[in-house]
Structure formats: structure tokens, C-alpha cells
Amino acid sequence: MIQKENSYGTFDQEINAFFKDVHHFASLINTCLYQGQEIVKPENLMLVDPKI
């Protein structure tokens, strides 16, 4: 049986691209932390350099 190595680089790139959309990120935070209440608003978020 041939085992394929997992490539997390591609996965990380896809997740980063998905969460660059402030609506996606706000939805995740609101769902996980605030039981779906709209506490974090997309218009109040800004994109920052992930290397910081």
C-alpha cells in the first residue's frame, strides 16, 4: 500500500484565502463565541499582514 504524504501547505493557503473575506471570519467568530449573535461586524474588521 502506498502512503501519500499530507500537504498542509495547500490546506493552509485555502483556509487563509477563505478567511480573508471579513464576512466569513466574522461569521466564524460570532458562531463560535457568541452563539450566532452578530457581535463582530464585518465592516469593523480589517485585513492585516499574517506575518505580524
Side-chain angles (χ1 to χ4, degrees):
M1 178 180 223
I2 300 173
Q3 271 188 327
K4 183 179 175 184
E5 288 186 36
N6 289 332
S7 173
Y8 291 105
T10 303
F11 176 76
D12 288 343
Q13 290 171 353
E14 290 178 21
I15 292 295
N16 286 336
F18 182 80
F19 284 119
K20 278 186 180 178
D21 182 334
V22 293
H23 292 91
H24 292 158
F25 185 76
S27 179
L28 173 72
I29 297 302
N30 287 327
T31 300
C32 292
L33 298 179
Y34 303 112
Q35 292 75 43
Q37 296 178 35
E38 191 179 1
I39 305 298
V40 177
K41 297 184 183 338
E43 59 269 13
N44 295 337
L45 298 175
M46 67 178 173
L47 201 59
V48 296
D49 184 359
K51 295 177 185 175
I52 294 178

